[in-house]
Amino acid sequence: MTQPSRRTFLTGTASLAGAALLPKALFAGADLPVLRAAESTAQLAPAGYPRTPVWTYATEGAGTVPGPEIRVAAGSRVQHRLVNDLPQPTAVHWHGIRIENAMDGAAPLTQAPVPPGQSFDYDFVAPAPGTYWYHAHNRSTEQVARGLAGPLIVEDREPWLGEPGAASRELTLVLDDWLLDADAAIVEDRWDDLHAAAHGGRMGNTVTVNGNAYPELTLRPGERVRLRLINTATARIMQLDLPGLSPRLIALDGHPVPPRAMETILLGPAQRADVVIDAPLDPDWQTTLLLDPGNDEWVDIATFAVSGESLTPAKADVRPLPAWRTLPAPVLANPQRETLLMEGGAMRGMREAVYRGDTMDFRELASNGMVWAFNGIAHGMDAPMFRAALGRTVHLEMTNRSMFPHAIHLHGHHFEVLRRSGAFNMPGDVRDTVLIGADETLEIAFVADNPGVWMLHCHMLSHQASGMMGWFEVA
Ligand SMILES: [Cu+2]
């Protein structure tokens, strides 16, 4: 097994990341279960359409979209040897897991991308229960859009399923958005489409649930089910409605919240929500999972059909998920104050920004594929946005001075939403990815308790690729 080349490290970050590069398991010679990334096909479009060529993950057999569900107990190790059978270098990011830095998969910051034909051993502890996911983190605009994403479930610390007021069953629903042509093939020549990047990102035209268009899901009459909803789309914000199923939210981005009734569920790219639903007692009843594509014209993306033996309905009050708190609470008395200003995109643009050390006007930035900036810097990989001492509370005020919403993701940490000027977030919620609307200001705080170099970027992957990318260091 050859160690991937490290020559592609960016000069400014090589020394920082270098120390933590070599995974222990490689030297231990352990034979880890394989996670193979390879080309395959999937029946994404409805029956009657051709199969779609996709890029997939597989732990055994043929690859699938989404990738196989990886499921571990809280506190135990996730161990996989990524084998790259793709025609491009790749790396796997374990989204939302507060992981050791060298395992974060954030190429090229924390590791070199793994070249075709080579492998990389991922071996890390999943510290906290919840709904997470894994996805490609090299040329993500293309690789995630081709299908490289799958669910990662860390089980509850104490029994919850089957307890009074809890669900009797759970169902992981991976929601994705694909840009397909008339032959159901992925439109391949628009990964870096600057027009899309300057707007909401490269938007698809086909929404799938667990890799299927319009699947039918079955519920027993009276059954209470926990849905683990994951938005793996590269750009699409998904507003969801489950009419007749009285959805109650129990977790966001893996973190339990006190159960609360939701009229609709809003999931930005990369966000997750755990929701409890109650099936009516009438057999033969059915409802649809509805998605608002952004114009208030709700469309069906799946059917829930009620059939089979009735179950005794659970009591009305939903049992909260077992409480856990492995995150240190932010100390807000004297935090390190940082700001994140988002500028760019269509209709507003920006006067100028720095790209690779040069100050450029909007036109010159665009000719370099850059239409967004964080704090006046487009794709600032040369130096960290800020450095925080290990254990220090960081208070980050984010301002979105653009006409588009963004989904800001911090690697290696979860953060608490303190205050917001818009309607997307509830103060007190703990997240790893947060939506911020046009002209919105959002204050978050977290304890920088995970040493290393961590990406901070927009999870609308077209925005990430065209400037909304940076990193911070905890040491
Ligand atoms: Cu964005």
Side-chain angles (χ1 to χ4, degrees):
M1 209 59 62
T2 320
Q3 182 67 15
S5 156
R6 278 180 278 149
R7 277 177 309 215
T8 50
F9 267 88
L10 299 176
T11 37
T13 61
S15 58
L16 302 172
L21 266 178
L22 304 173
K24 291 184 238 35
L26 210 62
F27 297 113
D31 243 353
L32 301 187
V34 164
L35 181 69
R36 189 177 303 279
E39 296 171 294
S40 185
T41 64
Q43 188 65 45
L44 295 179
Y49 283 89
R51 290 177 70 83
T52 301
V54 288
W55 290 6
T56 58
Y57 292 118
T59 44
E60 50 189 34
T64 54
V65 287
E69 181 167 295
I70 295 174
R71 189 173 265 272
V72 295
S76 68
R77 304 193 83 83
V78 175
Q79 297 179 305
H80 280 286
R81 173 164 297 166
L82 169 69
V83 175
N84 183 7
D85 285 344
L86 298 169
Q88 274 178 19
T90 194
V92 181
H93 172 55
W94 312 87
H95 187 113
I97 305 290
R98 293 189 304 284
I99 204 168
E100 86 182 81
N101 195 235
M103 297 287 104
D104 195 42
L109 186 65
T110 62
Q111 69 169 90
V114 182
Q118 295 197 25
S119 71
F120 186 91
D121 286 359
Y122 290 99
D123 181 356
F124 57 89
V125 171
T131 302
Y132 304 98
W133 64 300
Y134 60 98
H135 64 85
H137 214 302
N138 188 52
R139 293 181 57 90
S140 317
T141 358
E142 173 177 353
Q143 294 192 1
V144 178
R146 286 188 185 273
L148 291 173
L152 169 53
I153 307 300
V154 184
E155 289 169 347
D156 300 323
R157 276 185 189 277
E158 302 158 30
W160 180 82
L161 275 184
E163 297 294 314
S168 53
R169 179 165 72 95
E170 64 172 53
L171 202 52
T172 303
L173 300 184
V174 176
L175 309 174
D176 208 346
D177 178 43
W178 307 81
L179 185 56
L180 303 181
D181 66 17
D183 297 320
I186 294 173
V187 176
E188 294 193 343
D189 57 354
R190 284 169 39 192
W191 310 121
D192 304 312
D193 180 346
L194 215 54
H195 180 81
H199 290 76
R202 180 184 178 277
M203 215 58 78
N205 53 17
T206 305
V207 171
T208 56
V209 178
N210 292 344
N212 300 305
Y214 316 113
E216 184 174 304
L217 306 157
T218 308
L219 304 173
R220 304 262 298 273
E223 189 180 25
R224 176 167 286 179
V225 177
R226 171 185 188 171
L227 303 181
R228 296 179 182 267
L229 302 166
I230 309 174
N231 181 354
T232 64
T234 56
R236 185 176 293 288
I237 296 173
M238 299 192 182
Q239 183 149 26
L240 304 165
D241 192 6
L242 292 152
L245 294 174
S246 21
R248 273 133 310 156
L249 186 74
I250 54 169
L252 282 173
D253 290 356
H255 284 246
V257 298
R260 60 187 192 229
M262 304 292 284
E263 265 182 43
T264 61
I265 298 146
L266 188 69
L267 284 182
Q271 291 188 317
R272 291 88 62 211
D274 287 40
V275 170
V276 161
I277 56 170
D278 284 327
L281 275 168
D282 329 344
D284 306 324
W285 185 88
Q286 70 170 43
T287 191
T288 47
L289 174 58
L290 292 169
L291 171 88
D292 173 11
N295 54 7
D296 217 19
E297 287 182 16
W298 294 84
V299 295
D300 296 3
I301 58 169
T303 302
F304 284 98
V306 175
S307 70
E309 284 287 293
S310 292
L311 295 173
T312 311
K315 64 183 176 110
D317 287 347
V318 170
R319 184 188 188 88
L321 288 172
W324 58 267
R325 180 119 192 157
T326 55
L327 288 177
V331 180
L332 295 169
N334 179 30
Q336 176 173 338
R337 290 188 180 272
E338 301 292 343
T339 53
L340 173 63
L341 175 65
M342 302 161 214
E343 287 180 295
M347 293 179 276
R348 288 270 178 88
M350 51 192 158
R351 236 186 25 221
E352 59 180 36
V354 173
Y355 177 59
R356 292 189 170 162
D358 294 327
T359 303
M360 301 180 182
D361 64 16
F362 195 61
R363 184 183 296 256
E364 196 182 354
L365 287 165
S367 71
N368 282 280
M370 295 293 128
V371 287
W372 297 96
F374 280 166
N375 295 341
I377 300 173
H379 207 84
M381 295 306 286
D382 296 339
M385 301 177 70
F386 58 86
R387 292 192 162 90
L390 188 64
R392 186 97 155 91
T393 292
V394 177
H395 174 287
L396 182 60
E397 183 181 277
M398 303 194 258
T399 304
N400 177 8
R401 204 177 282 165
S402 79
M403 292 291 282
F404 295 90
H406 301 289
I408 301 299
H409 173 45
L410 268 64
H411 284 224
H413 297 77
H414 280 68
F415 51 82
E416 187 174 326
V417 174
L418 300 178
R419 266 181 292 276
R420 91 289 200 216
S421 64
F424 277 150
N425 303 283
M426 289 273 282
D429 284 347
V430 173
R431 309 215 63 140
D432 56 53
T433 308
V434 72
L435 276 172
I436 180 166
D439 288 319
E440 190 175 336
T441 301
L442 190 68
E443 292 171 51
I444 65 169
F446 63 97
V447 178
D449 65 342
N450 199 354
V453 287
W454 302 105
M455 281 185 181
L456 188 172
H457 64 86
C458 182
H459 225 289
M460 283 139 181
L461 301 177
S462 309
H463 292 173
Q464 176 191 8
S466 59
M468 299 191 88
M469 167 66 107
W471 56 282
F472 63 100
E473 187 189 7
V474 179

